[in-house]
Amino acid sequence: MTSTGMSKNNARRRVVVTGMGAVTPLGNSMAATWNGLLEGVSTARAIGRFDASGFPTKIGYEVRAYRFDRALAGHDATYLNEAGEFGVTAAHEALRQAGLDGGRTKVIPERVAVMVGNGMGSPGLEWYAQHYLDGKFDGETLRKHGRFMPEMLATVIARMAQAKGGMATVHTACASSGQALGEAYEAVRYGEADVVVTGGADSMINPFYVAGFSLLGALSKRNDDPRTASRPFDKDRDGFVLGEGACMLVFEELEHALARGAVPLAEIMGYGITESAYRITDLHPEGIGPIEAMQMAVEDAGIEATKIGYVNAHGTSTALNDRIEALAIAKVFAGGKTFVSSTKSMTGHMISAAGAIELGVCLKALEHQTLPPTVNVFEKDPECRVELTPAQPTAIKLDYALSNSVGFGGSNTALVAGRLK
Amino acid sequence: MSNKISSGSALIRRDDDVVISAVGAVTACGIGLEAIWDYARSDAAPPQDAQSYGLNDFKAVAHFSDKRMMKAVSTSDALGLAAVEILKKAARWPELGVKPEMIGVYAGAPSASTNANDYYMDALKAAMHPAPVNGILVDTAKFGQTCMEAKPTTLLIGLPNNVLCYAAMLLDARGPNSNYTSSMLSGMTAVMNGARRVSRGQLAVAVAGGFAYFSATEVNEKMYLEAGFDAFPYADGAAFTTLERRAPAVARGMKPLASLLSFATGSDAGNAWSVEASGQSLERAIQRALNDAGLTPDDIGLVLATDSARRGLETRGLSVLSRVFANARARPAVGNFSRRFGDLREAGGILEMALAPRIMAAGAIPQGLASEAAMKAGFKREVPGARAALVMRQGFSGESSVAVVGRD
């Protein structure tokens, strides 16, 4: 892979993670999510929030036992949709861990930014029926419509963190939070910010999107056995299962973190981003796009590919993605002992939040020196020639991990994380 | 956040400066940069009603090199892609000679709008209960069944990153990329990050810009006009640029339109929909942008402010500028494109960056772009000998984006 100049910065600032938070179908914190992964739990079930009986796919990974603490967002709680609520909760956990909540430590506000991946955020059927079809759309409705503006989440997080350095919202479908994380990493690395609150949030378990993905044939129809429906790399996989939630992280320059007494959890070492420029949904059959993204990330990290001990794959459980992604991974990490898993078997596909939670899983794996288990692979697809993690959590000496995300529209991201040395 | 984009003194042009080498743009007031510039300088009255800032009648397909693409994209996306097609011609794309992995697309896009998707809305209408059932208006199960008769690509038509995807295919752009749904600052964010990539050597060419299509439905019009946002009407439009280093652009026969010297962003970090009146975050962003460009307020002869349709943003902006330039030898000229073109939302700020050098060269802001409020605040229209300009844009909740632009 020809160098793109990413690793030519001689005055290289190091980027560490000082806080993480999550709301997922496995639990309403990063710790609960990690524990759920170790237990190999799949919480998929029949969709409960709307009558899905008329849809070909009637299952999903819904966040449960969750109540949004409106006090976290104050007055702005009115302007958050479900994804926004998940995101704010996760951001609160991350900021608290980083010691950046409530002004506990002083940072220069203009050196703190927010960069998040957020979903499409459509209102639901009842909202449209009530406010749109009969033409009774007025100014008050407009303000309530602000709930569905993707940038509202970044706005609220900026207030929570007193981040005055600017904010951005990224949407590249399933690669959204992977890209947000990558841009946050580069902002810190190249000196544009000292701290970036970053991550992703999404909730597409909504009649419009269940219908839309069903029309594409992308969703599993294993309605009779929801817990095993999401089965990345399994020979009989038949599509993905929608999940929802959020994961937020605090990226920070290493010296800045140490100077204020923060505890780095891990280091973000490399970022790769490409565009397949092939088709809107399909991957290139030879893996062009994801291969280059992974190679770019590894090169940016300044390590050999064979040093990557674990890859958290995009692994959606669709026939095409898993086969081609496995081909790409096998090519990039040939000659090494790299374990692969997709945790979508346990979280579902969290779309714009996927990249963030899956990097979070990599960071937990590094922290605990433990590979998350592979779940719902009953017979591995012989065309997926990667070494999957065992069916139970496995202790391992792990120095580096990589998280992949591949989006509709052709954006491919890869992020390398390592134990801080 | 802030950073210097081009090297050396901002007032000396260097081969490795990042420049805007071409623009592809569509507005209700002109198509293509030259037509837009002619309109900006003309005495033609601006559109007199909100609908006239819309592009409902624009035939995007006339600009498409591959007509099949029209079947796969929304009206909104077609607008953005038409601008990219116009840009391709303006940038002499076949002569580029750059590897695909060194070309990247950065787009500022509107968020998805389910109501703009007829398939969904038709299914919704078909699924309405004749009368509310326990307060519920819609038979959701029936919606699911009815939707299954829709086009298989229904979901894809509404993807916010469609323009990124199809532009990348049109241009064979396989390098780093992104798509921003940050509302008012999306286009400037796209240009800023594309320029950063070129500045760092991660890309040879960034195709960066934004598009906005807000008048898709009468409801959208009602939303903003009746809600009391009476500053500037929302306008449809698209503007995409090629960003590259000066030397290869000139070698290809391009005449750089503008040098991008630095960028900075800021946020009030206050409540959503509220704007902190003093504008401190904007002021600090301007100061950081000037510092990173190696300039002082004395070096700025022109400010182009482009504000979203909210009361008070223009006032706030002028108050900030009065403080920034309080001790300058001379106050700069201050203009506002929104007065002439409407607020181009996700495409806002881009035409300003591309045309600032022409305004500087002309020596005065065209009458139609002048800001009465700025004149009253002591700013002027004349731009004598200016070599650098500020382009600044403010968003809904007090976020801001500032660019320092130089002319050759």
Side-chain angles (χ1 to χ4, degrees), chain A residues 1-6 50-56 73 75-76 79 110-113 115 118-123 125-126 128-133 135-140 142-143 145-146 148-152 155-156 158-173 179 182-183 186-187 189-193 196 204 207-216 271 273-281 288 296 407-412, chain B residues 1-3 99 101-103 105-106 111-116 120-121 124-125 127-129 135-156 158-162 164-166 168-169 172-186 189 193 196-197 200-203 214 217 219-220 222-224 226-227 229 264-273 280-281 284-285 288 310 345 396-400:
Chain A
M1 172 71 188
T2 304
S3 170
T4 59
M6 280 177 161
F50 65 85
D51 180 1
S53 60
F55 295 75
H75 169 74
D76 293 339
Y79 303 119
E110 286 78 12
R111 297 288 296 167
V112 182
M115 212 161 291
N118 203 353
M120 290 162 63
S122 174
L125 296 178
E126 289 296 315
Y128 271 114
Q130 188 177 352
H131 297 292
Y132 176 70
L133 290 186
K136 292 179 189 171
F137 212 80
D138 56 22
E140 185 53 30
L142 161 67
R143 291 205 171 269
H145 185 263
F148 309 110
M149 295 169 67
E151 70 270 22
M152 281 298 170
T155 302
V156 175
R159 187 179 61 77
M160 291 166 70
Q162 282 301 288
K164 298 191 175 183
M167 51 195 186
T169 301
V170 176
H171 187 90
T172 46
Q179 287 201 263
E183 294 188 17
E186 292 202 320
R189 179 184 158 184
Y190 288 102
E192 289 143 22
V196 183
M204 292 189 89
F208 289 111
Y209 301 133
V210 173
F213 282 119
S214 295
L215 284 166
L216 285 171
Y271 174 51
I273 165 74
T274 62
E275 163 61 52
S276 298
Y278 180 63
R279 289 182 189 162
I280 185 86
T281 55
I288 293 172
M296 195 188 289
F408 277 5
S411 293
N412 312 293
Chain B
M1 296 202 294
S2 64
N3 65 294
K99 292 180 189 172
E101 59 265 24
M102 292 300 285
I103 306 172
V105 177
Y106 282 77
S111 55
S113 194
T114 318
N115 54 289
Y120 281 143
M121 292 297 107
L124 172 60
K125 287 173 194 165
M128 295 286 289
H129 289 301
I136 302 297
L137 301 174
V138 184
D139 180 341
T140 307
K142 187 172 178 187
F143 173 81
Q145 291 158 351
T146 311
C147 251
M148 292 307 110
E149 296 161 21
K151 196 170 166 178
T153 54
T154 292
L155 177 72
L156 302 178
L159 284 185
N161 55 321
N162 271 342
L164 162 59
C165 172
Y166 286 105
M169 286 194 254
D172 199 14
R174 298 189 223 160
N177 59 86
S178 198
N179 184 72
Y180 303 100
T181 50
S182 303
S183 192
M184 298 303 180
L185 303 187
S186 298
T189 302
N193 285 324
R196 280 176 172 152
R197 288 272 174 187
R200 294 178 200 144
Q202 295 164 334
L203 284 175
F214 203 65
T217 65
V219 170
N220 286 337
K222 282 176 72 173
M223 276 169 67
Y224 285 88
E226 291 182 11
F229 292 157
T265 56
S267 167
D268 283 352
N271 287 324
W273 296 102
Q280 274 190 11
S281 64
R284 288 180 186 147
R288 288 197 304 279
R310 288 218 52 196
R345 292 178 53 93
F396 278 133
S397 301
E399 64 273 25
S400 54

Side-chain angles (χ1 to χ4, degrees), chain B residues 101-389:
Chain B
E101 59 265 24
M102 292 300 285
I103 306 172
V105 177
Y106 282 77
S111 55
S113 194
T114 318
N115 54 289
N117 190 316
D118 289 340
Y119 299 108
Y120 281 143
M121 292 297 107
D122 289 345
L124 172 60
K125 287 173 194 165
M128 295 286 289
H129 289 301
V133 175
N134 297 322
I136 302 297
L137 301 174
V138 184
D139 180 341
T140 307
K142 187 172 178 187
F143 173 81
Q145 291 158 351
T146 311
C147 251
M148 292 307 110
E149 296 161 21
K151 196 170 166 178
T153 54
T154 292
L155 177 72
L156 302 178
I157 292 169
L159 284 185
N161 55 321
N162 271 342
V163 168
L164 162 59
C165 172
Y166 286 105
M169 286 194 254
L170 268 173
L171 304 169
D172 199 14
R174 298 189 223 160
N177 59 86
S178 198
N179 184 72
Y180 303 100
T181 50
S182 303
S183 192
M184 298 303 180
L185 303 187
S186 298
M188 282 190 74
T189 302
V191 171
M192 175 177 67
N193 285 324
R196 280 176 172 152
R197 288 272 174 187
V198 175
S199 176
R200 294 178 200 144
Q202 295 164 334
L203 284 175
V205 177
V207 172
F211 63 103
Y213 187 66
F214 203 65
S215 61
T217 65
E218 289 177 4
V219 170
N220 286 337
E221 253 191 25
K222 282 176 72 173
M223 276 169 67
Y224 285 88
L225 294 178
E226 291 182 11
F229 292 157
D230 59 0
F232 307 108
Y234 284 112
D236 298 341
F240 277 85
T241 63
T242 40
L243 309 175
E244 54 187 312
R245 291 199 186 274
R246 179 189 304 283
V250 170
R252 197 165 84 255
M254 304 300 296
K255 188 172 185 310
L257 295 166
S259 303
L260 297 174
L261 304 178
S262 68
F263 282 96
T265 56
S267 167
D268 283 352
N271 287 324
W273 296 102
S274 73
V275 173
E276 194 266 323
S278 76
Q280 274 190 11
S281 64
L282 170 62
E283 183 177 354
R284 288 180 186 147
I286 292 173
Q287 287 165 344
R288 288 197 304 279
L290 289 175
N291 288 343
D292 282 352
L295 297 178
T296 69
D298 283 334
D299 297 312
I300 301 295
L302 170 68
V303 177
L304 293 174
T306 162
D307 302 317
S308 65
R310 288 218 52 196
R311 285 194 213 102
L313 281 181
E314 188 177 29
T315 305
R316 179 175 115 132
L318 289 172
S319 170
V320 166
L321 291 174
S322 294
R323 295 199 299 271
V324 169
F325 293 97
N327 297 319
R329 279 196 301 270
R331 284 198 152 192
V334 175
N336 191 323
F337 269 48
S338 300
R339 295 196 168 281
R340 198 111 173 99
F341 291 92
D343 175 14
L344 287 167
R345 292 178 53 93
E346 288 84 359
I350 298 169
L351 294 174
E352 290 87 331
M353 285 188 271
L355 290 174
R358 292 195 191 191
I359 295 173
M360 287 190 276
I365 296 176
Q367 179 63 44
L369 299 179
S371 162
E372 285 175 24
M375 306 294 173
K376 285 180 187 165
F379 295 97
K380 51 189 180 157
R381 280 184 57 207
E382 292 73 28
V383 192
R387 296 289 305 281

